[in-house]
Every structure is written in C-alpha cells, then in structure tokens.
Amino acid sequence: MASEEYASKTWKVARRRVTHAIAKVRSEYEKAPPKPTHHKPPADPPVPADLLNLLCRIGVALVGAGETSAAVQTILDKLSRRYGTDNIHFMVLPTAVFVRVHTDDGSALDMLDARVGTLPLDQIAGLYRLIDQIQDDAPPPSEASKSLDKLLTQKPGSPPWLILVGQVVLTVGVGMMLNPGAKALIGYVVLGLVVGVLTQLADKVKLLSMALPVVASAVVAVLAFAFPGTLAGGQPQQLLIPAVATLLPGAMLTNGTIELATGSMVAGASRVVYGINMLFLLALGSYVGISVLGHLSDVPVSHAQLGWWAPILGVLLIGYGHSWRSSAPANSVGWLLLVLYVTYAAQFLGKHVSGPLTGTFLGGLVAVNAAYLIQRRKHAPPTQVAFLPAFWMLVPGGISLTGISDLVMHNNNSGAAGSLEVLVSALLSVMSIALGVMVGSGLATAHTPELGTILKSMPHNLPHHLPWHHASADAAKKSDSDSGS
C-alpha cells in the first residue's frame, strides 16, 4: 500500500516538473526575437529590346553626324539613364556600336554595324532635336524609333540639281581662299561640276563609289594639266585640292587625332589609318592623271590675283555652297556664315601673327566656341551643324594645297627629304586643327562659376580692414534696422 502511494506521488511530481519545463520553454520562445529572414535582392528588370535597339541606332546615327567615339558613348549613357537603366554599357567604334547588358545570369553582348556615310545637315539637326526630346520627355522607345526611322529615311532637303550647284559654289569658294587669278575661276567651276557629277554617280554605282577618290583626282589632274592656260592661268596645281576638297578625309584625321589624345586607341588608330589611306588614294589618282598626259608643255604663268577681297567672298561662297550641298536646315545659313567668318578671322589673325599652324589651331578653337554660343539662341542650329562648315573650310587650307601637287609632280628639288616635309606638314596641320577643336570643346563645356556667386562670396574672404568691406557691412546693418523698425 505504501509503495503504491509513493509511486503515485512520484508520478505527480514528475508530471508537474515536465509541465513546468514545457511552460518555461514556451514562454522563452515567445519572448525571443524572430530570426531575420534573408530575402534575395530583387533582380534587375530586363532591358526592353526596343530600348536597346533605339540606343544602338542613335549611336550609329551620331557616328554619321561626325561625333567622336567618346562623345557618342557619353550621349548614349545619358539617354540610357534617362530611361531608368544603369546596367547598359557601350563601346563605340567608327564601324560598329557594341552594347553589353548586365543581368543576374551574367552579361549579354550585342552589336550594330555603324558603317554609315556622313549625314546631311538637316538630318543631323533633326537627330539632335530627337535627342533633346528624349532627354526632356523620355517618350516610349517605340515612338522614338519611329521618329528616328522617319528622320533617316527622308530625302535630303536639297534636290540633286541644287546639290550639284552647291558642289560648284563650294569649289569656287575654297579656291578663292587662295586669292587666285581670274582664269582659275573657270577651272574651279568646270572641275567642281565634274566632281559633283562623279559623286552623284557614285551614289548609284557601287564600283565607282569604291574607286571615287582615285577616279575623281585622276580626272581633275587630267583636265587641270591638259588645259593649264585656259583653266588655271598657267598654275594648274592651284586647282587640285579645291576640286577634291569634299573628298579630303579631314573629319577622319581630326577625330582620329582627338581620340588618340583622349585614350580611345582603337577608334583613333582606325580613323587615322583610314584618313592617311584616303590621302594616298587621292595622290595616286593625281599621279595617274598626270602620267597619262606624258610630257607637260610649259605655258605662260599669270601671277595676277583677284585682290584682298577674294578670300572674304570665298567664305561667303563656302557658306552657301555647303548649305546647298549638305542640305542645311531652313533659316540656318545666317548662323553658318557667322561661324564661318569668325573662324576665318581667327585663322587669319593666327596665321599672320605666328604662322599657318597657329592659324589652324585658333580657327578650330574659335569655331567650336562660336558654334556652342549660337546654339543658345532661339531657332539656331545645333552645335555640330554650325561647326561642320567651318571645319571643312579649315581642312583644305590645313592640308598643304600646293605641297601635295609638288609631291606628285616631283617638283620638290630636295627629293625624299622634301617629300617627307610635305607629308609631315600636312599631318601637323591636321593635328593643329584637332588640338584647337579639343581645347575649344573643353572651354565650351567647362562649368565656370557665375559672376554673381563670386561677388557674393568675396566679402566673407576679404580682410576686414578693406574700406568697401565696412561699407557693405554698414549697409547690411542699416537695412536690418530699417526692416526691424
């Protein structure tokens, strides 16, 4: 009996202890803070295919507008961030636009062919208006792509006959920058017409487009040296460069030099090599044309010049000729002429003060800043549209106008040393233009503090014994007392 009572009492004690332990564990569990749960960070939203296609196509169009690779990458980065994406990275080359998209699963790479010719000025202006619209409103990528399609497929603003007239007028304008004789004007008109016809035929015949530099320079050389008295007043070498000025690789060489200076090695090297190759093709065409004629007969040389006004009128003709040939936007000719004359004045001043290289440097520097300044005016064209005509005015003068012809004709008495000097002089001129453009772009885009901000900060930094500091302090105290009363 006693053993049964002891077992029952022991069981009750054990059950009470187990119940108490369970209650204690439960209360401690309820009081314990919840363990943190590790959630997987949200994945980056995928980049829409239409946005990717839009950005790549804008990059290709900017290459056709004459922008450097670094400038195109900067614009594309801004547009991608405007659409709320920061996982897109671009690499721009003269022949392709590469894009890499970061995802959780890795990276995706895409490419778009960028082999495109130079866009007309009206399409360049429309392209920059579209870029401004995207930065302001961020329309759906599909709508922006439709606008870009419409822009790039529209016909040039100038009909073919006006483009041909513009080619002739531009050739005469570039030639008048040399202050030639009156007979040379006939040669500029004839050769400008011939090159204009060949250029328009090359747009339709692929074989001619590939050989256009050689064919055009050969035909120009044949006509210039076959009729030196009639077309050039006995100085046919003055006709060579103005006639093929629109075929000179000035943009390639200048942009390539800028890209090499800013670290874009692949893009810069490819542009420079392409530009030098184009120069040699033009020289080869001139050599072939002169060789076809055989022995050149001597003709009387006329040293008469038109006068001091010839280069000034030449700038005017370059402006109108380039606007017609490149289909400039409506109501932009006045702005183009303003930039052209300011650039010519800077080039003229630098040339007479320190030499041709200084002139081309100052011309490039002033052209960029003038184009940036007029962009702020209402109804003014974009910077690139206003700058390109001035740039094309600098290039023919920078690439030795008579040195190339002397090199082809072996007129240089110093032989190989003279030929090397001609080539080095041409490259130095292009580098001078590129340096001016690069420095000018840096000055135009630099953010300088406003004058009002500087004046406001001056009293706090000036010594207290300066008289105007006390005057300003007294004036401030007086205004406070007046407002308090």
Side-chain angles (χ1 to χ4, degrees):
M1 189 74 179
S3 61
E4 292 179 356
E5 291 180 356
Y6 177 76
S8 175
K9 187 180 295 184
T10 303
W11 169 250
K12 290 181 180 178
V13 171
R15 187 176 62 179
R16 187 168 54 250
R17 289 180 178 177
V18 170
T19 303
H20 179 72
I22 293 175
K24 184 177 180 182
V25 171
R26 182 179 295 175
S27 64
E28 290 179 355
Y29 176 78
E30 292 177 353
K31 293 179 181 179
K35 295 183 179 181
T37 58
H38 298 283
H39 296 285
K40 187 178 181 180
D44 292 332
V47 178
D50 53 355
L51 174 60
L52 208 58
N53 180 63
L54 171 65
L55 295 176
C56 287
R57 296 183 61 212
I58 289 178
V60 172
L62 287 171
V63 172
E67 290 283 7
T68 62
S69 299
V72 176
Q73 289 179 205
T74 301
I75 294 174
L76 293 181
D77 288 338
K78 291 181 180 179
L79 295 181
S80 64
R81 287 195 297 269
R82 183 64 181 88
Y83 278 109
T85 59
D86 56 358
N87 56 339
I88 306 178
H89 299 277
F90 299 94
M91 179 180 179
V92 180
L93 297 177
T95 56
V97 175
F98 295 87
V99 57
R100 185 180 66 176
V101 181
H102 289 285
T103 61
D104 291 340
D105 299 329
S107 298
L109 184 66
D110 197 4
M111 183 201 75
L112 188 61
D113 187 5
R115 285 177 293 184
V116 60
T118 303
L119 298 179
L121 293 181
D122 54 352
Q123 291 187 4
I124 295 177
L127 174 63
Y128 283 96
R129 285 196 298 267
L130 176 61
I131 291 174
D132 291 338
Q133 179 186 357
I134 293 175
Q135 290 179 338
D136 293 338
D137 304 328
S142 57
E143 294 183 7
S145 295
K146 291 179 181 178
S147 300
L148 185 61
D149 286 334
K150 183 179 179 181
L151 171 68
L152 297 179
T153 55
Q154 69 182 8
K155 293 183 179 180
S158 300
W161 66 268
L162 187 57
I163 294 176
L164 186 59
V165 171
Q167 175 74 36
V168 175
V169 174
L170 179 60
T171 302
V172 175
V174 174
M176 291 189 71
M177 299 293 290
L178 298 174
N179 192 11
K183 285 189 176 181
L185 297 180
I186 302 175
Y188 293 139
V189 172
V190 173
L191 297 180
L193 183 62
V194 170
V195 174
V197 171
L198 289 175
T199 303
Q200 294 197 15
L201 287 176
D203 294 336
K204 301 178 181 179
V205 182
K206 185 176 181 180
L207 182 60
L208 179 59
S209 66
M210 293 188 293
L212 181 61
V214 177
V215 173
S217 57
V219 173
V220 166
V222 169
L223 293 176
F225 286 93
F227 307 99
T230 304
L231 298 181
Q235 301 185 62
Q237 67 272 14
Q238 286 191 341
L239 303 180
L240 294 182
I241 298 298
V244 296
T246 54
L247 301 178
L248 291 174
M252 280 290 178
L253 290 172
T254 303
N255 285 346
T257 304
I258 293 174
E259 288 167 345
L260 287 175
T262 54
S264 301
M265 300 296 182
V266 177
S270 59
R271 289 186 195 269
V272 170
V273 171
Y274 178 89
I276 293 176
N277 178 68
M278 184 70 71
L279 280 181
F280 278 115
L281 289 177
L282 291 170
L284 174 62
S286 297
Y287 179 79
V288 171
I290 295 172
S291 299
V292 168
L293 295 176
H295 178 71
L296 301 177
S297 58
D298 295 332
V299 295
V301 178
S302 174
H303 295 284
Q305 294 181 316
L306 292 176
W308 59 268
W309 51 269
I312 299 177
L313 180 59
V315 175
L316 180 67
L317 295 179
I318 289 174
Y320 276 98
H322 206 289
S323 64
W324 294 336
R325 181 185 178 275
S326 300
S327 304
N331 303 322
S332 64
V333 179
W335 297 109
L336 302 186
L337 289 175
L338 176 61
V339 176
L340 281 169
Y341 275 108
V342 172
T343 303
Y344 171 72
Q347 183 185 16
F348 180 84
L349 178 63
K351 181 179 179 180
H352 283 75
V353 169
S354 182
L357 292 180
T358 304
T360 53
F361 169 78
L362 288 180
L365 188 150
V366 171
V368 175
N369 285 274
Y372 269 100
L373 286 176
I374 70 167
Q375 185 188 20
R376 304 174 184 176
R377 308 297 298 177
K378 190 176 181 181
H379 303 304
T383 300
Q384 194 73 355
V385 174
F387 166 72
L388 284 177
F391 172 77
W392 283 112
M393 182 182 68
L394 291 172
V395 169
I399 300 177
S400 180
L401 289 169
T402 58
I404 298 292
S405 62
D406 290 339
L407 177 62
V408 173
M409 296 175 61
H410 305 286
N411 285 342
N412 201 314
N413 297 326
S414 57
S419 301
L420 180 61
E421 181 182 356
V422 169
L423 294 177
V424 171
S425 175
L427 292 177
L428 286 178
S429 299
V430 171
M431 292 179 65
S432 176
I433 298 173
L435 182 61
V437 171
M438 189 165 52
V439 174
S441 300
L443 293 176
T445 57
H447 298 286
T448 55
E450 296 182 359
L451 181 61
T453 305
I454 297 176
L455 293 178
K456 288 180 180 179
S457 63
M458 283 178 63
H460 302 287
N461 301 327
L462 292 176
H464 295 281
H465 65 273
L466 294 178
W468 55 79
H469 183 273
H470 296 289
S472 61
D474 295 341
K477 291 180 180 179
K478 182 177 180 181
S479 62
D480 293 339
S481 61
D482 293 341
S483 60
S485 59

